[in-house]
Amino acid sequence: EQVEEEVELEEEEEKLFFKSFIKELTDKLKSKQEMRYQNDRKNIFYNDSDLTTLDSNVKKNCSFVKKLRNMTEVQKDSIIKDMLSLNLSKYISEVAAAVVEAKIKMSDIPMAIKICSLLHQRYPDFSQLLLDCWLKVLPKKATDLPNLNLAKMRIDIRFFGELVSSGIFTLKEGLPVLGNVLTLIATNDKENHNHLNILLTFCRHCGDDYASLVSRKMQLLAEKYNSDLPKSDFLLPDRQKGLRNLLKDYYKSLASHVVREHKTIKNQEKQNRKILISKGELSDKRKEKFEQSNIAFQKLWTSTQQMADLLDEDLPDLPAELDSNEDLSENVAITLDVSNRFKVVSEVSLTWLC
C-alpha cells in the first residue's frame, strides 16, 4: 500500500511538472510572437520630433553608454528609465557597440532583448548598427574558431539568435549570419567537440524556434498524458529542417567520440588492474592521469545525454564490462575509485540557414 501511494505521488508530481512546462513554453512562444509584432518595422512609426524634447546632455548620454556595457537584470528598470528620458540620436552607434561588448550573463539575456527592442522601436538606425557590431565579433571562418572565448560565445550565440527571433533583426538580415556561425561551429568541431556547450546552449534556449526541438522526455510525457505540445510559428518547417539535420549530423560525430573516449578509459582501467594485481598499488602519476581522464569523460557523457534528449536521439551503447578474456585472478576484485584514490578493496567491480 505504501508503495502504491509513493507511485501515485510521483505521478502527480510528474503531471504538475509537465503542466508547468506546457504553460512556460506557451507563455514564451506567445511573448516572442508579440515582440516580433512590436518590432516589425511595418508597425513602427518613427518621429524625430519626439526626440527633440528629450535630454541631450553629453555627460548623461556617455553615462548611459557606460551603464549599458555593465548592464545586468538588476539594472533593467533603471536603464529603461534613463533610455526613455534621453535623446541618444548622436550616440546610437556607441549604444550599439556597448550592447555587443556587454559582459552579460545568460540570465540577463531577456533583459537585454527588452532594451534592444525599445531602442529598435525608437531609433531607425539602431538595428543596422547593432548588426554591424555583431559582424565584427562573430566568427566568419574556421581560422577564427581557435580564438573564441567559449564562455562568451555560449551567451553570444543565444543572444544573437533571440535578436532575430524577437524581430529586432529581420530574417533576411539575421538568419544568414546565424546560419553561417552555427554551420561553421558544427562542421569544424567533429573530432574534439570543444564547442559542444555552445551548440547545447543554443539547442536548449533557441531550438524550439529554429529547429522545432522538443526534448524526448517531454515528447514521452505528452504521449503519456495525451497532450499536444505547443510549437513555434517563427520559421516554416522546411527552414527548420536544415538546422535540425546539421545538429543531428553533429550529434552522430559526438556519439562516435564518446565511444572512442569510453574505450580509452576502459583500456586504462585494464592496464591499471594489471598493475594493481602485480604490484599492489598505482603510481601517483598514473592515478592522476586516470582521474583526469575519468572527469573529462563524465563531463562529455553528461553533455551527450543532454544533447541526445534535446535532439530526440538514442545514446550510444557503451560496454559496461571488460573483455571476458582478460587474464585476472578469480579471487581478487578491484575498485578504481577516483574519489578514494584507487584503493584496493575486497569487493567491487570497475565502473543550414539562409
Side-chain angles (χ1 to χ4, degrees):
E1 185 176 339
Q2 184 178 353
V3 173
E4 290 180 359
E5 289 178 357
E6 290 178 354
V7 170
E8 289 178 2
L9 181 61
E10 287 179 4
E11 182 143 329
E12 188 60 33
E13 289 177 348
E14 185 181 73
K15 284 182 181 179
L16 290 173
F17 169 74
F18 181 63
K19 286 181 179 179
S20 176
F21 169 80
I22 293 292
K23 184 180 186 308
E24 186 178 328
L25 180 57
T26 301
D27 291 346
K28 173 189 171 184
L29 295 178
K30 183 179 179 181
S31 176
K32 279 284 188 69
Q33 192 177 49
E34 290 173 352
M35 192 171 287
R36 283 195 293 274
Y37 178 82
Q38 293 168 0
N39 285 326
D40 190 329
R41 287 168 186 142
K42 291 182 293 186
N43 301 322
I44 300 174
F45 302 96
Y46 299 107
N47 191 339
D48 290 342
S49 61
D50 292 341
L51 297 175
T52 58
T53 62
L54 301 178
D55 197 338
S56 299
N57 182 277
V58 174
K59 187 175 181 180
K60 289 182 179 179
N61 275 269
C62 291
S63 177
F64 178 78
V65 171
K66 185 177 180 180
K67 185 181 286 189
L68 277 182
R69 285 197 175 93
N70 299 284
M71 62 180 167
T72 64
E73 175 65 33
V74 177
Q75 297 172 298
K76 175 183 173 181
D77 293 339
S78 173
I79 290 174
I80 291 175
K81 181 180 178 182
D82 289 348
M83 188 200 74
L84 295 177
S85 68
L86 295 172
N87 181 354
L88 297 162
S89 299
K90 295 181 179 179
Y91 302 88
I92 205 64
S93 60
E94 287 85 350
V95 167
V99 169
V100 176
E101 294 167 9
K103 296 178 181 179
I104 62 174
K105 298 177 181 177
M106 198 68 72
S107 58
D108 296 326
I109 289 179
M111 170 271 304
I113 293 294
K114 175 64 175 178
I115 290 170
C116 287
S117 291
L118 293 174
L119 288 165
H120 166 72
Q121 293 165 24
R122 176 165 286 198
Y123 300 97
D125 297 335
F126 173 73
S127 60
Q128 184 59 54
L129 291 168
L130 185 65
L131 182 61
D132 292 342
C133 290
W134 277 111
L135 291 174
K136 293 176 183 177
V137 300
L138 292 173
K140 299 179 184 65
K141 52 189 184 300
T143 52
D144 294 334
L145 297 179
N147 300 318
L148 281 184
N149 179 330
L150 300 185
K152 189 172 190 308
M153 193 62 204
R154 282 181 62 240
I155 295 170
D156 284 354
I157 197 75
R158 179 191 168 189
F159 191 3
F160 190 89
E162 295 208 16
L163 285 168
V164 180
S165 62
S166 297
I168 295 165
F169 299 143
T170 65
L171 288 177
K172 185 177 180 181
E173 293 168 338
L175 209 52
V177 178
L178 181 63
N180 181 65
V181 174
L182 291 171
T183 302
L184 191 64
I185 291 173
T187 56
N188 288 279
D189 188 38
K190 292 187 175 181
E191 289 296 323
N192 298 319
H193 299 92
N194 295 322
H195 303 137
L196 170 58
N197 284 333
I198 294 174
L199 294 178
L200 188 56
T201 295
F202 184 82
C203 289
R204 186 180 294 121
H205 294 285
C206 303
D208 48 0
D209 280 327
Y210 288 96
S212 193
L213 299 185
V214 180
S215 75
R216 177 174 289 186
K217 178 180 179 180
M218 291 305 168
Q219 290 186 53
L220 292 174
L221 288 176
E223 291 175 11
K224 181 177 179 179
Y225 296 115
N226 194 27
S227 177
D228 293 328
L229 291 167
K231 293 185 178 181
S232 170
D233 63 353
F234 175 53
L235 291 178
L236 294 174
D238 285 349
R239 304 191 85 171
Q240 293 177 326
K241 185 178 179 181
L243 176 57
R244 192 162 57 248
N245 289 340
L246 178 74
L247 294 169
K248 285 180 177 288
D249 187 55
Y250 180 84
Y251 176 78
K252 288 179 183 177
S253 70
L254 173 62
S256 297
H257 181 188
V258 167
V259 172
R260 291 196 307 271
E261 290 300 316
H262 182 259
K263 185 176 180 181
T264 299
I265 291 283
K266 285 296 181 183
N267 286 336
Q268 288 182 18
E269 279 188 290
K270 290 178 185 179
Q271 190 62 34
N272 287 342
R273 283 175 66 110
K274 290 179 181 178
I275 294 172
L276 279 168
I277 290 169
S278 62
K279 296 184 178 181
E281 63 179 357
L282 295 175
S283 67
D284 289 341
K285 184 176 181 181
R286 183 171 284 275
K287 291 176 185 178
E288 188 68 28
K289 181 179 179 181
F290 183 80
E291 182 176 352
Q292 291 175 354
S293 297
N294 196 48
I295 291 172
F297 178 78
Q298 291 303 326
K299 288 181 179 178
L300 179 66
W301 180 240
T302 298
S303 295
T304 302
Q305 290 174 308
Q306 293 171 359
M307 183 68 94
D309 183 51
L310 287 167
L311 295 176
D312 191 22
E313 291 284 338
D314 294 330
L315 286 166
D317 293 326
L318 302 180
E321 302 296 331
L322 297 175
D323 292 342
S324 58
N325 61 358
E326 186 69 28
D327 184 16
L328 297 172
S329 169
E330 294 180 0
N331 297 322
V332 180
I334 300 169
T335 294
L336 299 188
D337 187 340
V338 173
S339 63
N340 289 300
R341 307 303 294 175
F342 300 90
K343 292 185 296 186
V344 179
V345 296
S346 59
E347 54 177 298
V348 183
S349 60
L350 288 167
T351 50
W352 122 17
L353 297 171
C354 58

